[in-house]
Amino acid sequence: MKITKPLSACFVLTMLCSSAGCSYPSKDKNEDETSPAKVPLIRIVANSLGMNFPAGMDANHNPYLAYIEKNTGMEVNVTLPPLNGYDDKLNVIMTSGEPPDLLNTANPSWFINFVNQKALTPLNDYIDKYGANLKAKIPKEAWDNVTVNGQIYAIPSVNEVKGTEIIYARKDWLDKLGLQPPHSIEEFTAVMKAFAERDPDGNGIQDTYGLSILERLGRTSSFLGAFGAQMNAWYERDGKLVYSGILPEMKQALTYLHSLYEQNILDPEFPLNKIDILGDKIARGKIGLYSAAWSDTRTHIEQSRKNDPTAVWIPLDYPTGPDGKHGVYSTSIVRSYNVVPLKSQNAAAVVKFLDFIAGPAQNTLKLGFEKEVWTQVNGKLSIRLDEHIKQAYRGIYGALVDTIDRDLTRKRLDGLGEQFRLYENLQRIDNNLMQNRFNGPPTPAMGKHQVKLSKLQEETFTRIIAGMSPIEEFDAFVKNWKDAGGDEITGEVNEWWRQPGK
């Protein structure tokens, strides 16, 4: 019997920063006592990316940080706040009496909020003096995203990929049920309905679903695209930019997703699906079609194959909607923002540190130590997957200033296993992007209103899909969004849009 639909969705409040999560670590006392000369010290707060360290190591004691310190002549103290409520913890850190020298955030609203407060150090002069690699490797579009009134307030980390979602489906289930790979949204609906109702796994129990998505409407991009909309994007209409979340196309998409929910095609637990929960359902054979991340062929899909050797997964075309539309969202050029609090006296050292990561250290932090993690044979990378996984924590440091090197990306992804089709997945995504027309820096009104507007959108859309609110609530949402700061944001976005040479 299928799981019954939950009556309500849970939205978990973020926790306040604990003292353990926000305190600054220090090196072993004996290291300071035996140092022949004092070296520059910088304190940084970074995102752990969910990475774990091998036994006996931590963020401040490991070979990759030692490599960075040796080559920069600095001592680097690293704090990794828990991921839950990460930006809330950054808020607490910023208001402490002695903030660190560098904080990293992926949240543009957080960034612009502290720009508005005049709490961040302008970095133009430091970048000119100490950031040759940063200037050479970070594209102008990314610098534009962190520049406000001519002042650069962050060093951006660049998104290596232009989009992330691609549809994968169980070909063995299609074959068993006599179905062809779908193309139109109607064909997708028929396939997903069959996956939910016709016992594709053959266990005699109706315990599979045609589609599953993540909480907060994650992994819906491929289906939203069939209606010409994406989450958190801006599109041109009649010479002006309009927010995608309030367009009639979004209302159509929500109506469609609700219909899947009503027919028991969509996993009713979706409001509670975190990535590990969704991944487990994929691996256990409960879901046969979903909007995957491009790297899932190495993780959840591969685990599905290991659990069931008969499982055959194939990529599908993006569904084409009633008006011939299709596509997937495009990521922002900026992956994250590295900011220096105004109270810090070490902006120069921070820029030198990040310049090393963007330059000489980039390949090492992306690939790992040569001969330990990888070797090159006949122009191809041969990667030791056990060491690659063991040393994956190096990405915490490398992601601070990620840069784009297409040739290296292809070699690295093929080196992880050509059978996973990682580079092919990215190419398929690149060919189907729906471009977000707003690619300027976050506006002041975004800093004031974006958090509450995002919460309003996520909760409203989830209620509509799950049938807790009628589709007519979308119209009330549009009015509330505009009145609660959306109109102010729209005005600022269009002020940017009208600027020449953007």
Side-chain angles (χ1 to χ4, degrees), residues 20 43 63 76 104 142 146 152 266 270 282 354 360 407 416 436 442 491:
R43 298 173 302 153
V76 183
N104 177 270
V146 297
I152 298 173
L266 176 61
F270 80 87
I282 302 301
L354 294 175
D407 183 58
L416 291 171
N436 181 0

Side-chain angles (χ1 to χ4, degrees), residues 369-386:
F369 291 125
E370 188 175 4
K371 296 183 180 177
E372 284 187 31
V373 178
W374 63 278
T375 56
Q376 189 158 258
V377 180
N378 297 325
K380 289 189 173 184
L381 290 182
S382 175
I383 296 176
R384 292 181 54 189
L385 292 181
D386 56 340

Side-chain angles (χ1 to χ4, degrees), residues 72 228 390 463:
T72 60
K390 181 181 177 181
R463 288 198 305 270

